[in-house]
Amino acid sequence: VDYSDSVTSKPATERRQLKLGCIGDDVKELHKELRKHQYGVYESNNKFDATTQACVMHFQTVNHLKKVDGIVGKETYKALGMM
């Protein structure tokens, strides 16, 4: 479990990979972007939980990303418009 926080003003190339168990402001920002794209995270608790993972996997599937793994890396950040 990764408990470190990320500053949301970091360039996307420096963003950490987000996955199940991550906690922080960057997860809150991810929730905001998922909501904006209508992918079901209705309230942010700053935790990347199983619901967040499922929403990310759905986003990855619908957007035909190479990896559908529920992990937010460079490709998913880019598809969400976070890069």
Side-chain angles (χ1 to χ4, degrees), residues 27-42 48 51-60 63 72 76 80 82:
V27 177
K28 185 175 184 176
E29 182 182 9
L30 170 65
H31 289 165
K32 178 182 171 184
E33 289 301 318
L34 288 169
R35 273 194 308 275
K36 192 181 340 181
H37 291 279
Q38 300 180 357
Y39 284 91
V41 177
Y42 299 108
F48 196 118
T51 300
T52 304
Q53 183 181 46
C55 291
V56 169
M57 290 178 77
H58 185 220
F59 177 85
Q60 291 169 330
N63 288 278
V72 181
T76 304
L80 283 164
M82 296 175 74

Side-chain angles (χ1 to χ4, degrees), residues 6-34:
S6 171
V7 177
T8 57
S9 61
K10 277 188 178 182
T13 55
E14 295 179 25
R15 291 182 185 270
R16 68 177 172 145
Q17 189 178 65
L18 296 178
K19 57 188 175 184
L20 192 61
C22 287
I23 297 172
D25 288 339
D26 49 355
V27 177
K28 185 175 184 176
E29 182 182 9
L30 170 65
H31 289 165
K32 178 182 171 184
E33 289 301 318
L34 288 169

